[in-house]
Amino acid sequence: MRNHLRALRDRRGWTQAALADRLDVSRQTVNALETGRYDPSLPLAFRIARIFDCAIEDIFEPDDADLPVDSSTGR
């Protein structure tokens, strides 16, 4: 899953630690989210969206490999 978390955080001038405090997670978790090594739980994704005042879909995008393939169309 790709995300725009770092760009959103940078626009607000927040460090990873500052965002981690707001989300009540570790700075390492924010780093893992930003680098795509960790996909957030649904409750965490909602908290992130709420903090940045946007929809989850505005922050997170599934990789094409994450999307299900329709067996009738092959897409």
Side-chain angles (χ1 to χ4, degrees), residues 11-28:
R11 273 188 233 145
R12 300 219 178 178
W14 294 344
T15 63
Q16 288 183 342
L19 177 57
D21 286 345
R22 286 174 169 82
L23 293 171
D24 196 26
V25 298
S26 69
R27 186 200 57 78
Q28 289 81 6

Side-chain angles (χ1 to χ4, degrees), residues 24-74:
D24 196 26
V25 298
S26 69
R27 186 200 57 78
Q28 289 81 6
T29 296
V30 171
N31 181 274
L33 288 165
E34 287 185 357
T35 57
R37 290 182 288 118
Y38 172 68
D39 291 335
S41 65
L42 191 54
L44 179 56
F46 273 107
R47 289 200 321 262
I48 293 168
R50 190 175 309 122
I51 283 175
F52 290 109
D53 193 29
C54 55
I56 291 174
E57 297 88 348
D58 295 336
I59 302 170
F60 299 97
E61 298 176 32
D63 290 327
D64 289 342
D66 295 337
L67 298 174
V69 176
D70 183 340
S71 61
S72 65
T73 64

